[in-house]
Amino acid sequence: KFVTVVAGLDSVPDLKIKDAARVFGKKFSSGASVGESATGAREIVIQGDVSFDLPPLLISEFKVAPSAIFYLEDGGVIRPYA
């Protein structure tokens, strides 16, 4: 079972994390909940692997710059979206 975790949205101006989780849940027809990471930062956990569908939504709906989107892959490798 896959999950997609979205972190760092608290740095996006005027974005409410709970509202974003609701949008993700509707868009991907899946569960999306707000929680805390091990470091205490707020994050959204989306049920399912939506990692390739998520960036266009972040860009269009929440005005996140493509240069601010990164993938954290297995093994801790960080790869930029754009």
Side-chain angles (χ1 to χ4, degrees), residues 9 12 15 18 29 38 43 46-47 60-61 70 72 77 81:
L9 290 180
V12 177
L15 185 139
K18 287 187 179 186
S29 301
E43 63 185 14
I46 305 168
Q47 294 177 3
S60 65
E61 185 78 22
F70 294 87
L72 177 61
V77 175
Y81 169 69

Side-chain angles (χ1 to χ4, degrees), residues 12-58:
V12 177
D14 302 323
L15 185 139
K16 294 183 177 150
I17 301 252
K18 287 187 179 186
D19 291 344
R22 198 171 305 118
V23 169
F24 297 156
K26 285 183 182 180
K27 172 69 176 175
F28 302 122
S29 301
S30 67
S33 61
V34 177
E36 285 190 5
S37 69
T39 62
R42 294 179 71 188
E43 63 185 14
I44 299 173
V45 178
I46 305 168
Q47 294 177 3
D49 183 2
V50 297
S51 59
F52 292 105
D53 299 322
L54 184 62
L57 180 63
L58 289 171

